Amino acid sequence: MITSQLISLVIIFLFTSIIGVVTGSNSLVTIPVMLEFGISPANAIATNMFALIFMSIGGTIPFLKGDLLKRQDLSLLIILTIIGSIFGALLVIIIPSKTMPLLISISMIVVTIFSVINRNKGVEKIEESSPTAQKIGYALTFLLGIYGGFFSGGYVTTLTACFIAFLNMTFMEAVAITKVLNIFSSLIATFIFMTQGIIDYKLGIILGITMFFGAIIGAKFALKMSNLWLRRIFIITVIFLAVRNLLKWIN
């Protein structure tokens, strides 16, 4: 890879990590860019997953000072994510890559419709969710962990919507919790990719450090925003990504 390409990757990864702290879906941008620069699909997915560890850690640090990470069910969510990620990384070849943009677009459209209909969801702190809603939220955490373990594109975005819908988190809580879970999801997947020898560590460290600092910047900005503004940014990004991936699938 020539120097200009590396600089371009660093700039793109920095920008997406700053925005992605709130919106998620970094991999929907970063992986296609890596492919454009001649990196093989397997190496792109694995190296991007390795870099996401740094981003998730950086995005978590600013949230450690408050009470956002003091949920009683955080340990359960972590366990479900770890188990799901193991399955996901092992089943990476099961889902055809051609169907990925369509599946992601459908999930994004559902997220958008839900967010528009339920205007107060995630904006105002409400009572704890019902036992049924909690069970659905935990089940989706596991299923999304499978998806996050082998690709990650759209994983955090959909997980954020899941937590808001079924576990009654605010946007700020969901943003903080998903950063923690993504550490474990990325770690598990990266470990399995390491055994396959498909990670470019030199590139991954450069991009990982870039995303680490970008995530810290993004998280600090997020802490200064209200849940309403986080909701607006989230919905706009989701709509854009849904349309982009749907057009990609059609073409």
Side-chain angles (χ1 to χ4, degrees):
M1 179 177 295
I2 61 177
T3 303
S4 61
Q5 290 178 326
L6 180 59
I7 293 174
S8 298
L9 277 180
V10 168
I11 293 173
I12 292 170
F13 271 66
L14 177 64
F15 179 76
T16 56
S17 60
I18 293 174
I19 302 298
V21 168
V22 175
T23 63
S25 299
N26 300 67
S27 301
L28 297 180
V29 176
T30 56
I31 290 179
V33 171
M34 295 173 78
L35 296 178
E36 288 292 328
F37 287 164
I39 301 174
S40 70
N43 286 339
I45 292 175
T47 304
N48 178 75
M49 191 70 74
F50 176 70
L52 283 176
I53 298 174
F54 293 80
M55 175 189 165
S56 301
I57 294 174
T60 300
I61 290 175
F63 294 113
L64 293 176
K65 296 181 180 179
D67 297 328
L68 294 172
L69 298 178
K70 296 181 179 180
R71 285 183 62 94
Q72 294 182 346
D73 59 354
L74 180 57
S75 297
L76 175 59
L77 294 173
I78 290 174
I79 292 173
L80 291 171
T81 298
I82 290 175
I83 297 174
S85 298
I86 292 174
F87 280 107
L90 292 174
L91 299 176
V92 67
I93 62 174
I94 298 299
I95 298 180
S97 59
K98 292 182 179 180
T99 66
M100 197 65 66
L102 177 60
L103 294 176
I104 295 170
S105 296
I106 292 174
S107 66
M108 295 291 184
I109 292 171
V110 171
V111 166
T112 303
I113 293 174
F114 168 82
S115 300
V116 171
I117 294 176
N118 300 275
R119 294 187 176 183
N120 292 327
K121 275 282 190 178
V123 176
E124 300 176 357
K125 185 65 177 178
I126 57 180
E127 298 180 0
E128 291 187 5
S129 53
S130 66
T132 301
Q134 287 183 340
K135 291 178 181 178
I136 295 174
Y138 297 145
L140 288 175
T141 300
F142 171 72
L143 293 175
L144 288 171
I146 295 176
Y147 171 66
F150 72 83
F151 181 66
S152 182
Y155 164 61
V156 171
T157 307
T158 312
L159 190 62
T160 300
C162 166
F163 286 165
I164 293 169
F166 298 104
L167 300 183
N168 284 353
M169 294 187 190
T170 63
F171 270 96
M172 191 70 74
E173 286 178 311
V175 167
I177 296 295
T178 53
K179 298 294 95 56
V180 175
L181 298 187
N182 207 29
I183 293 176
F184 293 93
S185 175
S186 301
L187 274 171
I188 294 298
T190 296
F191 175 76
I192 293 176
F193 290 144
M194 287 172 62
T195 63
Q196 299 175 4
I198 56 176
I199 299 176
D200 185 333
Y201 291 102
K202 183 178 180 180
L203 178 61
I205 290 174
I206 294 174
L207 298 179
I209 293 174
T210 300
M211 297 183 83
F212 175 83
F213 289 106
I216 291 179
I217 295 171
K220 288 185 176 181
F221 274 116
L223 283 169
K224 296 179 181 179
M225 297 181 186
S226 66
N227 283 303
L228 179 60
W229 270 104
L230 290 175
R231 176 181 181 274
R232 291 169 178 170
I233 294 173
F234 183 81
I235 291 177
I236 291 173
T237 304
V238 167
I239 293 174
F240 170 77
L241 292 172
V243 173
R244 173 183 176 275
N245 283 279
L246 189 58
L247 291 175
K248 180 179 179 181
W249 178 78
I250 293 174
N251 292 330

